[in-house]
Amino acid sequence: MFASGPETGHENRGVSRPLLVPMRFIWPYGGSRVFLTGSFTRWSEHIPMSPMEGCPTVFQVICSLSPGYHQFKFFVDGEWRHDERQPFVNGNYGVVNTVFIARELDVVSPSLSPEAPSRSHMDVDDVFIRSEPVPTISDADLEVSRQRAATFLSRHTAYELLPDSSKVIALDVNIAVKQAFHILHEQGIPMAPLWDSFKGQFVGVLSALDFILILRELGNHGSNLTEEELETHTISAWKEGKVHLSRQIDGNARSYPRCLVPAGPYDSLKNVVLKILRSKVAMVPIIHSASQDGSFPQLLNLATLSEVLKCILRHFKHSSSSLPILQQPVCSIPLGTWVPKIGESNGQLLAMLRPNASLGAALSLLVQADVSSIPIVDENDSLLDVYSRSDITALAKDKAYAQIRLDEMSIHQALQLCQDANSINGQRCQMCLRSDTLHKVMERLASPGVRRLVIVEAGSKRVEGIISLSDVFRFLLGV
């Protein structure tokens, strides 16, 4: 079926060789050890593939191939595999993937010419990715998936989120704000419920957004809040002036959550999710009171979307086919925020910043764009890091906030202060590919501490979009 002439491997061993074209091979389905072999190695050599930084389930390798047809296959943890999302045929070595590399005379677009020395290796990948039809899902399958997910969430309660044992942190409204944010940083939590001992009730929450507003006020000329007052300024006093402060900073009447939005242990998971989405918070406290008037409340847990997502994955683990939407690549469904394509003007813009931008600019963007994180990219829009609201609590350590000016500190410098915080297995940036299925994305988002995935282009890590836990649940529930 294919030419039996000499094949070009991943090394240039000859003195006089035909034109070679760099081709990136990708195995995006995980594994411990992954190798590539094919007709270009005469099926005798196994080329090791390396996991992509920040995306350990994606393996890649670049080989220089001669123009023409090539067959290839992957050797994953001792088993021969092929990628069903790429072209494949039945060959002498079983089911194998195929790739065609055009000869110089066959090239249609100058951007694909092998002679262009400055072209990106990813240009080759883009051709093959775009030539593959993107699977679509019918409206009927989408409706069935949403209905079954909503039914599950409606029939199960927040009681199922309670762990056998755990530590739940609440803050007294009479402690100093500075001490409170130091606690958030030390405990690695984005927010904490507030307890008013005089009222005998939980009255609200303190979050990283509060600290952002405070730091912006400290840097605001003419502020009534000084660094000395921050040492003794109580949470209660801060909350009382918060709405006035937010109007003063933003110049509008935008209201930030002032009241506590709790859930009970017997509230449905759907109710818990909707409270989180509508309140735009990271978690809601699960509070139980044995009395009718709500006195003597008990704080049982802090419910997060991640925990609810784990419940969904557990329930549909052996019946994922009952949710057809799970097998769809995320690029084929209306999920998350994406970088607009050329010519597109509608949709929400994806906020990104360079590492040399000021911390003040980042905090302003977090507040005004109403986002929880900002991808930090280089001049090619390749992902370097992510700055999140919760990263701001790192400035509470050793009173770092008193030693800096927001407009003089760069994002790069700010990230150095929190490089060990908010990292998962040593990685701060959690990524996925546009070709990843919704099921795979949900599994990664269900990992402890992961709140969002940045969608990147394989190899270049150019940012294509971002998917958060909130995005997943808005999509599943159609809200």
Side-chain angles (χ1 to χ4, degrees):
M1 182 182 298
F2 295 93
S4 57
E7 301 289 351
T8 302
H10 68 296
E11 294 181 5
N12 189 357
R13 295 169 181 163
V15 176
S16 177
R17 306 293 294 176
L19 178 68
L20 300 181
V21 179
M23 176 66 191
R24 189 185 306 274
F25 292 88
I26 297 174
W27 175 259
Y29 308 111
S32 298
R33 301 183 66 196
V34 181
F35 297 88
L36 172 74
T37 190
S39 55
F40 42 86
T41 68
R42 298 186 181 276
W43 301 99
S44 60
E45 180 182 359
H46 287 16
I47 305 172
M49 303 182 71
S50 303
M52 192 172 79
E53 181 182 357
C55 204
T57 61
V58 179
F59 290 76
Q60 61 180 342
V61 69
I62 297 176
C63 298
S64 295
L65 306 184
S66 59
Y69 282 101
H70 300 274
Q71 296 180 342
F72 61 96
K73 206 163 184 174
F74 302 93
F75 193 62
V76 184
D77 296 338
E79 294 185 6
W80 287 107
R81 305 278 297 276
H82 71 281
D83 188 347
E84 295 183 354
R85 296 188 180 277
Q86 298 185 46
F88 60 88
V89 297
N90 283 310
N92 295 333
Y93 294 89
V95 181
V96 295
N97 290 118
T98 64
V99 63
F100 173 74
I101 299 179
R103 298 181 185 276
E104 181 179 0
L105 297 178
D106 296 332
V107 175
V108 177
S109 170
S111 65
L112 303 182
S113 172
E115 295 180 352
S118 61
R119 60 184 295 278
S120 167
H121 295 335
M122 289 306 298
D123 290 342
V124 176
D125 301 335
D126 287 344
V127 175
F128 292 103
I129 290 173
R130 290 168 185 163
S131 66
E132 288 298 302
V134 177
T136 58
I137 188 169
S138 66
D139 292 340
D141 283 343
L142 175 59
E143 185 60 31
V144 166
S145 298
R146 284 177 166 170
Q147 183 178 2
R148 288 173 179 168
T151 299
F152 167 78
L153 293 173
S154 298
R155 292 179 177 175
H156 294 257
T157 67
Y159 187 83
E160 298 177 42
L161 301 179
L162 302 183
D164 294 333
S165 63
S166 65
K167 177 178 65 175
V168 183
I169 295 175
L171 302 174
D172 193 289
V173 294
N174 292 316
I175 70 172
V177 171
K178 175 233 174 180
Q179 182 183 358
F181 286 114
H182 183 77
I183 293 173
L184 292 183
H185 171 69
E186 290 298 320
Q187 298 298 323
I189 54 178
M191 61 182 289
L194 300 177
W195 171 256
D196 190 323
S197 55
F198 179 77
K199 296 180 180 179
Q201 294 178 344
F202 291 97
V203 294
V205 296
L206 189 74
S207 69
L209 178 59
D210 289 295
F211 198 24
I212 291 175
L213 293 175
I214 288 175
L215 289 182
R216 293 181 69 198
E217 174 65 2
L218 283 173
N220 183 30
H221 296 293
S223 169
N224 293 321
L225 183 63
T226 64
E227 294 171 8
E228 292 77 14
E229 288 175 330
L230 187 58
E231 297 292 320
T232 57
H233 208 62
T234 65
I235 297 175
S236 178
W238 157 247
K239 287 294 182 179
E240 289 177 4
K242 182 177 180 181
V243 172
H244 171 72
L245 179 59
S246 65
R247 289 177 179 175
Q248 184 184 42
I249 293 178
D250 294 332
N252 57 40
R254 177 186 173 189
S255 60
Y256 295 95
R258 297 186 65 190
C259 302
L260 182 69
V261 183
Y266 300 108
D267 285 2
S268 70
L269 291 180
K270 182 178 180 180
N271 191 28
V272 171
V273 169
L274 291 177
K275 286 186 176 182
I276 293 177
L277 295 180
R278 290 167 181 168
S279 302
K280 295 184 178 181
V281 293
M283 56 188 70
V284 296
I286 306 299
I287 298 176
H288 174 66
S289 177
S291 59
Q292 293 289 337
D293 61 358
S295 57
F296 305 107
Q298 292 179 303
L299 179 60
L300 304 180
N301 191 30
L302 297 176
T304 65
L305 293 179
S306 177
E307 292 175 335
V308 179
L309 194 59
K310 288 178 187 176
C311 291
I312 293 177
L313 293 172
R314 238 183 350 253
H315 180 77
F316 292 100
K317 181 177 181 180
H318 300 295
S319 59
S320 58
S321 59
S322 62
L323 292 182
I325 194 65
L326 293 183
Q327 301 310 316
Q328 288 296 117
V330 291
C331 65
S332 68
I333 53 182
L335 176 67
T337 303
W338 293 73
V339 175
K341 296 180 180 178
I342 296 176
E344 289 183 348
S345 59
N346 54 346
Q348 180 182 355
L349 294 178
L350 180 62
M352 296 187 288
L353 287 174
R354 301 280 189 261
N356 59 352
S358 71
L359 179 57
L363 299 187
S364 296
L365 190 57
L366 286 170
V367 173
Q368 294 169 0
D370 195 21
V371 294
S372 61
S373 64
I374 303 171
I376 309 303
V377 298
D378 63 14
E379 62 278 2
N380 297 315
D381 288 342
S382 295
L383 185 66
L384 300 174
D385 212 320
V386 173
Y387 195 84
S388 306
R389 283 182 185 175
S390 55
D391 289 327
I392 197 65
T393 58
L395 295 180
K397 185 178 181 182
D398 300 326
K399 292 179 60 177
Y401 62 84
Q403 306 167 28
I404 65 162
R405 293 184 62 87
L406 297 182
D407 292 333
E408 295 177 357
M409 171 174 270
S410 69
I411 297 176
H412 174 73
Q413 292 171 323
L415 287 169
Q416 297 300 309
L417 298 175
C418 53
Q419 58 183 351
D420 295 328
N422 303 321
S423 62
I424 312 299
N425 296 326
Q427 295 287 344
R428 281 178 44 85
C429 300
Q430 305 302 313
M431 295 175 277
C432 68
L433 303 178
R434 62 186 297 117
S435 58
D436 286 344
T437 63
L438 176 59
H439 184 264
K440 185 174 182 179
V441 166
M442 288 170 61
E443 284 184 325
R444 299 203 67 189
L445 284 172
S447 302
V450 179
R451 301 187 186 98
R452 67 199 63 82
L453 297 178
V454 182
I455 309 165
V456 298
E457 183 184 62
S460 72
K461 293 172 65 174
R462 187 157 54 240
V463 174
E464 297 187 320
I466 192 167
I467 298 176
S468 68
L469 281 162
S470 298
D471 292 330
V472 170
F473 280 96
R474 287 193 186 96
F475 173 71
L476 288 178
L477 296 177
V479 296

mmCIF file of all heavy atoms in Angstrom, residues 295-328:
data_model
loop_
_atom_site.group_PDB
_atom_site.id
_atom_site.type_symbol
_atom_site.label_atom_id
_atom_site.label_comp_id
_atom_site.label_asym_id
_atom_site.label_seq_id
_atom_site.Cartn_x
_atom_site.Cartn_y
_atom_site.Cartn_z
ATOM 1 N N SER A 295 -30.210 28.888 65.808
ATOM 2 C CA SER A 295 -29.187 29.160 66.813
ATOM 3 C C SER A 295 -28.270 27.958 66.981
ATOM 4 O O SER A 295 -28.608 26.837 66.612
ATOM 5 C CB SER A 295 -29.845 29.509 68.152
ATOM 6 O OG SER A 295 -30.702 28.460 68.574
ATOM 7 N N PHE A 296 -27.098 28.209 67.534
ATOM 8 C CA PHE A 296 -26.066 27.184 67.737
ATOM 9 C C PHE A 296 -25.727 26.451 66.436
ATOM 10 O O PHE A 296 -25.802 25.224 66.357
ATOM 11 C CB PHE A 296 -26.504 26.174 68.812
ATOM 12 C CG PHE A 296 -26.881 26.807 70.109
ATOM 13 C CD1 PHE A 296 -28.221 26.887 70.495
ATOM 14 C CD2 PHE A 296 -25.922 27.343 70.945
ATOM 15 C CE1 PHE A 296 -28.574 27.480 71.686
ATOM 16 C CE2 PHE A 296 -26.271 27.944 72.135
ATOM 17 C CZ PHE A 296 -27.596 28.016 72.512
ATOM 18 N N PRO A 297 -25.380 27.212 65.408
ATOM 19 C CA PRO A 297 -25.049 26.561 64.123
ATOM 20 C C PRO A 297 -23.727 25.813 64.197
ATOM 21 O O PRO A 297 -22.801 26.231 64.895
ATOM 22 C CB PRO A 297 -24.970 27.738 63.159
ATOM 23 C CG PRO A 297 -24.557 28.892 64.010
ATOM 24 C CD PRO A 297 -25.209 28.671 65.349
ATOM 25 N N GLN A 298 -23.652 24.729 63.444
ATOM 26 C CA GLN A 298 -22.426 23.929 63.353
ATOM 27 C C GLN A 298 -21.885 24.004 61.924
ATOM 28 O O GLN A 298 -22.609 23.734 60.962
ATOM 29 C CB GLN A 298 -22.699 22.466 63.718
ATOM 30 C CG GLN A 298 -23.052 22.241 65.170
ATOM 31 C CD GLN A 298 -23.321 20.767 65.440
ATOM 32 O OE1 GLN A 298 -24.178 20.151 64.805
ATOM 33 N NE2 GLN A 298 -22.577 20.193 66.362
ATOM 34 N N LEU A 299 -20.625 24.368 61.801
ATOM 35 C CA LEU A 299 -19.971 24.403 60.493
ATOM 36 C C LEU A 299 -19.425 23.014 60.190
ATOM 37 O O LEU A 299 -18.475 22.558 60.816
ATOM 38 C CB LEU A 299 -18.847 25.442 60.497
ATOM 39 C CG LEU A 299 -18.036 25.596 59.207
ATOM 40 C CD1 LEU A 299 -18.926 26.011 58.046
ATOM 41 C CD2 LEU A 299 -16.898 26.595 59.406
ATOM 42 N N LEU A 300 -20.033 22.347 59.219
ATOM 43 C CA LEU A 300 -19.674 20.962 58.921
ATOM 44 C C LEU A 300 -18.599 20.831 57.847
ATOM 45 O O LEU A 300 -17.748 19.957 57.909
ATOM 46 C CB LEU A 300 -20.930 20.188 58.476
ATOM 47 C CG LEU A 300 -22.119 20.192 59.445
ATOM 48 C CD1 LEU A 300 -23.270 19.396 58.849
ATOM 49 C CD2 LEU A 300 -21.715 19.620 60.801
ATOM 50 N N ASN A 301 -18.659 21.693 56.854
ATOM 51 C CA ASN A 301 -17.733 21.539 55.727
ATOM 52 C C ASN A 301 -17.806 22.781 54.850
ATOM 53 O O ASN A 301 -18.720 23.610 54.986
ATOM 54 C CB ASN A 301 -18.115 20.295 54.903
ATOM 55 C CG ASN A 301 -17.051 19.923 53.882
ATOM 56 O OD1 ASN A 301 -15.869 20.174 54.086
ATOM 57 N ND2 ASN A 301 -17.471 19.330 52.771
ATOM 58 N N LEU A 302 -16.836 22.925 53.955
ATOM 59 C CA LEU A 302 -16.874 23.953 52.923
ATOM 60 C C LEU A 302 -17.011 23.239 51.579
ATOM 61 O O LEU A 302 -16.082 22.563 51.134
ATOM 62 C CB LEU A 302 -15.606 24.810 52.955
ATOM 63 C CG LEU A 302 -15.375 25.619 54.233
ATOM 64 C CD1 LEU A 302 -14.036 26.352 54.166
ATOM 65 C CD2 LEU A 302 -16.503 26.611 54.458
ATOM 66 N N ALA A 303 -18.182 23.354 50.974
ATOM 67 C CA ALA A 303 -18.469 22.626 49.738
ATOM 68 C C ALA A 303 -17.888 23.373 48.546
ATOM 69 O O ALA A 303 -18.053 24.594 48.414
ATOM 70 C CB ALA A 303 -19.967 22.448 49.566
ATOM 71 N N THR A 304 -17.210 22.646 47.662
ATOM 72 C CA THR A 304 -16.624 23.220 46.455
ATOM 73 C C THR A 304 -17.157 22.504 45.215
ATOM 74 O O THR A 304 -17.658 21.380 45.293
ATOM 75 C CB THR A 304 -15.095 23.104 46.466
ATOM 76 O OG1 THR A 304 -14.735 21.709 46.420
ATOM 77 C CG2 THR A 304 -14.505 23.732 47.728
ATOM 78 N N LEU A 305 -17.035 23.161 44.076
ATOM 79 C CA LEU A 305 -17.448 22.535 42.822
ATOM 80 C C LEU A 305 -16.590 21.314 42.513
ATOM 81 O O LEU A 305 -17.053 20.359 41.886
ATOM 82 C CB LEU A 305 -17.349 23.547 41.677
ATOM 83 C CG LEU A 305 -18.318 24.733 41.735
ATOM 84 C CD1 LEU A 305 -18.085 25.662 40.545
ATOM 85 C CD2 LEU A 305 -19.763 24.261 41.753
ATOM 86 N N SER A 306 -15.338 21.333 42.964
ATOM 87 C CA SER A 306 -14.448 20.195 42.739
ATOM 88 C C SER A 306 -14.990 18.937 43.407
ATOM 89 O O SER A 306 -14.967 17.841 42.824
ATOM 90 C CB SER A 306 -13.052 20.525 43.261
ATOM 91 O OG SER A 306 -12.193 19.412 43.118
ATOM 92 N N GLU A 307 -15.505 19.088 44.626
ATOM 93 C CA GLU A 307 -16.049 17.934 45.344
ATOM 94 C C GLU A 307 -17.306 17.402 44.663
ATOM 95 O O GLU A 307 -17.523 16.192 44.587
ATOM 96 C CB GLU A 307 -16.342 18.323 46.786
ATOM 97 C CG GLU A 307 -15.097 18.607 47.617
ATOM 98 C CD GLU A 307 -15.434 19.097 49.005
ATOM 99 O OE1 GLU A 307 -16.536 19.658 49.182
ATOM 100 O OE2 GLU A 307 -14.604 18.936 49.913
ATOM 101 N N VAL A 308 -18.141 18.311 44.171
ATOM 102 C CA VAL A 308 -19.347 17.879 43.460
ATOM 103 C C VAL A 308 -18.965 17.165 42.172
ATOM 104 O O VAL A 308 -19.569 16.156 41.792
ATOM 105 C CB VAL A 308 -20.258 19.087 43.166
ATOM 106 C CG1 VAL A 308 -21.509 18.635 42.411
ATOM 107 C CG2 VAL A 308 -20.654 19.795 44.459
ATOM 108 N N LEU A 309 -17.928 17.674 41.494
ATOM 109 C CA LEU A 309 -17.476 17.047 40.253
ATOM 110 C C LEU A 309 -16.983 15.629 40.504
ATOM 111 O O LEU A 309 -17.216 14.718 39.702
ATOM 112 C CB LEU A 309 -16.365 17.893 39.635
ATOM 113 C CG LEU A 309 -15.996 17.597 38.183
ATOM 114 C CD1 LEU A 309 -17.200 17.782 37.275
ATOM 115 C CD2 LEU A 309 -14.858 18.495 37.724
ATOM 116 N N LYS A 310 -16.309 15.423 41.638
ATOM 117 C CA LYS A 310 -15.867 14.071 41.996
ATOM 118 C C LYS A 310 -17.058 13.130 42.136
ATOM 119 O O LYS A 310 -16.998 11.960 41.734
ATOM 120 C CB LYS A 310 -15.077 14.109 43.304
ATOM 121 C CG LYS A 310 -13.704 14.719 43.198
ATOM 122 C CD LYS A 310 -13.030 14.738 44.559
ATOM 123 C CE LYS A 310 -11.720 15.492 44.522
ATOM 124 N NZ LYS A 310 -11.099 15.589 45.857
ATOM 125 N N CYS A 311 -18.133 13.624 42.734
ATOM 126 C CA CYS A 311 -19.339 12.805 42.897
ATOM 127 C C CYS A 311 -19.905 12.390 41.541
ATOM 128 O O CYS A 311 -20.316 11.240 41.350
ATOM 129 C CB CYS A 311 -20.399 13.565 43.699
ATOM 130 S SG CYS A 311 -20.001 13.811 45.438
ATOM 131 N N ILE A 312 -19.920 13.322 40.598
ATOM 132 C CA ILE A 312 -20.437 13.009 39.261
ATOM 133 C C ILE A 312 -19.568 11.942 38.595
ATOM 134 O O ILE A 312 -20.078 10.967 38.024
ATOM 135 C CB ILE A 312 -20.479 14.286 38.398
ATOM 136 C CG1 ILE A 312 -21.513 15.266 38.944
ATOM 137 C CG2 ILE A 312 -20.802 13.941 36.945
ATOM 138 C CD1 ILE A 312 -21.563 16.579 38.181
ATOM 139 N N LEU A 313 -18.257 12.120 38.645
ATOM 140 C CA LEU A 313 -17.344 11.165 38.011
ATOM 141 C C LEU A 313 -17.446 9.791 38.648
ATOM 142 O O LEU A 313 -17.370 8.764 37.969
ATOM 143 C CB LEU A 313 -15.905 11.689 38.089
ATOM 144 C CG LEU A 313 -15.601 12.943 37.261
ATOM 145 C CD1 LEU A 313 -14.208 13.467 37.567
ATOM 146 C CD2 LEU A 313 -15.743 12.642 35.776
ATOM 147 N N ARG A 314 -17.606 9.774 39.979
ATOM 148 C CA ARG A 314 -17.756 8.490 40.681
ATOM 149 C C ARG A 314 -19.032 7.773 40.246
ATOM 150 O O ARG A 314 -19.035 6.570 40.002
ATOM 151 C CB ARG A 314 -17.784 8.745 42.189
ATOM 152 C CG ARG A 314 -16.691 8.010 42.936
ATOM 153 C CD ARG A 314 -16.714 8.168 44.427
ATOM 154 N NE ARG A 314 -17.599 9.143 44.987
ATOM 155 C CZ ARG A 314 -17.199 10.291 45.511
ATOM 156 N NH1 ARG A 314 -15.927 10.634 45.472
ATOM 157 N NH2 ARG A 314 -18.066 11.122 46.049
ATOM 158 N N HIS A 315 -20.114 8.540 40.153
ATOM 159 C CA HIS A 315 -21.413 7.952 39.832
ATOM 160 C C HIS A 315 -21.445 7.387 38.408
ATOM 161 O O HIS A 315 -22.012 6.320 38.166
ATOM 162 C CB HIS A 315 -22.512 9.003 40.002
ATOM 163 C CG HIS A 315 -23.888 8.499 39.688
ATOM 164 N ND1 HIS A 315 -24.607 7.707 40.560
ATOM 165 C CD2 HIS A 315 -24.681 8.660 38.585
ATOM 166 C CE1 HIS A 315 -25.773 7.415 40.029
ATOM 167 N NE2 HIS A 315 -25.845 7.984 38.827
ATOM 168 N N PHE A 316 -20.835 8.116 37.462
ATOM 169 C CA PHE A 316 -20.895 7.698 36.058
ATOM 170 C C PHE A 316 -19.622 6.972 35.610
ATOM 171 O O PHE A 316 -19.389 6.816 34.412
ATOM 172 C CB PHE A 316 -21.127 8.918 35.161
ATOM 173 C CG PHE A 316 -22.491 9.539 35.328
ATOM 174 C CD1 PHE A 316 -22.656 10.667 36.115
ATOM 175 C CD2 PHE A 316 -23.595 8.985 34.721
ATOM 176 C CE1 PHE A 316 -23.905 11.252 36.283
ATOM 177 C CE2 PHE A 316 -24.856 9.555 34.872
ATOM 178 C CZ PHE A 316 -25.010 10.688 35.654
ATOM 179 N N LYS A 317 -18.811 6.529 36.588
ATOM 180 C CA LYS A 317 -17.535 5.897 36.255
ATOM 181 C C LYS A 317 -17.704 4.691 35.351
ATOM 182 O O LYS A 317 -16.940 4.497 34.392
ATOM 183 C CB LYS A 317 -16.814 5.491 37.543
ATOM 184 C CG LYS A 317 -15.453 4.850 37.308
ATOM 185 C CD LYS A 317 -14.753 4.537 38.615
ATOM 186 C CE LYS A 317 -13.378 3.930 38.374
ATOM 187 N NZ LYS A 317 -12.681 3.623 39.652
ATOM 188 N N HIS A 318 -18.681 3.852 35.641
ATOM 189 C CA HIS A 318 -18.873 2.621 34.870
ATOM 190 C C HIS A 318 -20.037 2.730 33.888
ATOM 191 O O HIS A 318 -20.461 1.731 33.310
ATOM 192 C CB HIS A 318 -19.097 1.444 35.813
ATOM 193 C CG HIS A 318 -17.956 1.205 36.759
ATOM 194 N ND1 HIS A 318 -16.710 0.811 36.334
ATOM 195 C CD2 HIS A 318 -17.865 1.345 38.115
ATOM 196 C CE1 HIS A 318 -15.896 0.700 37.380
ATOM 197 N NE2 HIS A 318 -16.573 1.021 38.471
ATOM 198 N N SER A 319 -20.562 3.937 33.735
ATOM 199 C CA SER A 319 -21.664 4.126 32.780
ATOM 200 C C SER A 319 -21.515 5.463 32.075
ATOM 201 O O SER A 319 -22.490 6.194 31.898
ATOM 202 C CB SER A 319 -23.015 4.064 33.504
ATOM 203 O OG SER A 319 -23.088 5.059 34.521
ATOM 204 N N SER A 320 -20.266 5.779 31.699
ATOM 205 C CA SER A 320 -20.014 7.079 31.071
ATOM 206 C C SER A 320 -20.755 7.220 29.748
ATOM 207 O O SER A 320 -21.016 8.344 29.298
ATOM 208 C CB SER A 320 -18.511 7.281 30.854
ATOM 209 O OG SER A 320 -17.980 6.246 30.044
ATOM 210 N N SER A 321 -21.114 6.080 29.126
ATOM 211 C CA SER A 321 -21.842 6.152 27.855
ATOM 212 C C SER A 321 -23.229 6.752 28.034
ATOM 213 O O SER A 321 -23.840 7.199 27.060
ATOM 214 C CB SER A 321 -21.953 4.763 27.228
ATOM 215 O OG SER A 321 -22.631 3.870 28.099
ATOM 216 N N SER A 322 -23.724 6.769 29.266
ATOM 217 C CA SER A 322 -25.043 7.364 29.503
ATOM 218 C C SER A 322 -24.984 8.887 29.446
ATOM 219 O O SER A 322 -26.012 9.544 29.416
ATOM 220 C CB SER A 322 -25.596 6.917 30.864
ATOM 221 O OG SER A 322 -24.752 7.344 31.922
ATOM 222 N N LEU A 323 -23.760 9.427 29.445
ATOM 223 C CA LEU A 323 -23.562 10.867 29.239
ATOM 224 C C LEU A 323 -22.737 11.045 27.967
ATOM 225 O O LEU A 323 -21.510 11.174 28.021
ATOM 226 C CB LEU A 323 -22.835 11.509 30.426
ATOM 227 C CG LEU A 323 -23.572 11.583 31.766
ATOM 228 C CD1 LEU A 323 -22.709 12.297 32.797
ATOM 229 C CD2 LEU A 323 -24.900 12.293 31.623
ATOM 230 N N PRO A 324 -23.377 11.023 26.795
ATOM 231 C CA PRO A 324 -22.626 11.092 25.524
ATOM 232 C C PRO A 324 -21.710 12.300 25.432
ATOM 233 O O PRO A 324 -20.682 12.261 24.753
ATOM 234 C CB PRO A 324 -23.745 11.166 24.470
ATOM 235 C CG PRO A 324 -24.960 10.611 25.146
ATOM 236 C CD PRO A 324 -24.835 10.953 26.592
ATOM 237 N N ILE A 325 -22.039 13.369 26.124
ATOM 238 C CA ILE A 325 -21.262 14.598 26.033
ATOM 239 C C ILE A 325 -19.849 14.431 26.570
ATOM 240 O O ILE A 325 -18.933 15.159 26.190
ATOM 241 C CB ILE A 325 -21.987 15.734 26.798
ATOM 242 C CG1 ILE A 325 -21.383 17.089 26.446
ATOM 243 C CG2 ILE A 325 -21.928 15.512 28.295
ATOM 244 C CD1 ILE A 325 -21.577 17.494 25.030
ATOM 245 N N LEU A 326 -19.629 13.429 27.442
ATOM 246 C CA LEU A 326 -18.325 13.257 28.071
ATOM 247 C C LEU A 326 -17.230 12.925 27.068
ATOM 248 O O LEU A 326 -16.060 13.211 27.313
ATOM 249 C CB LEU A 326 -18.390 12.168 29.143
ATOM 250 C CG LEU A 326 -19.234 12.465 30.383
ATOM 251 C CD1 LEU A 326 -19.124 11.315 31.377
ATOM 252 C CD2 LEU A 326 -18.795 13.770 31.033
ATOM 253 N N GLN A 327 -17.595 12.305 25.951
ATOM 254 C CA GLN A 327 -16.588 11.895 24.974
ATOM 255 C C GLN A 327 -16.328 12.943 23.910
ATOM 256 O O GLN A 327 -15.538 12.731 23.000
ATOM 257 C CB GLN A 327 -17.027 10.580 24.303
ATOM 258 C CG GLN A 327 -17.227 9.432 25.291
ATOM 259 C CD GLN A 327 -16.032 9.257 26.230
ATOM 260 O OE1 GLN A 327 -14.888 9.302 25.790
ATOM 261 N NE2 GLN A 327 -16.305 9.053 27.509
ATOM 262 N N GLN A 328 -16.958 14.102 24.034
ATOM 263 C CA GLN A 328 -16.739 15.174 23.066
ATOM 264 C C GLN A 328 -15.471 15.955 23.384
ATOM 265 O O GLN A 328 -15.198 16.256 24.550
ATOM 266 C CB GLN A 328 -17.922 16.147 23.075
ATOM 267 C CG GLN A 328 -19.190 15.588 22.447
ATOM 268 C CD GLN A 328 -19.008 15.308 20.977
ATOM 269 O OE1 GLN A 328 -19.099 14.158 20.542
ATOM 270 N NE2 GLN A 328 -18.744 16.349 20.202
#
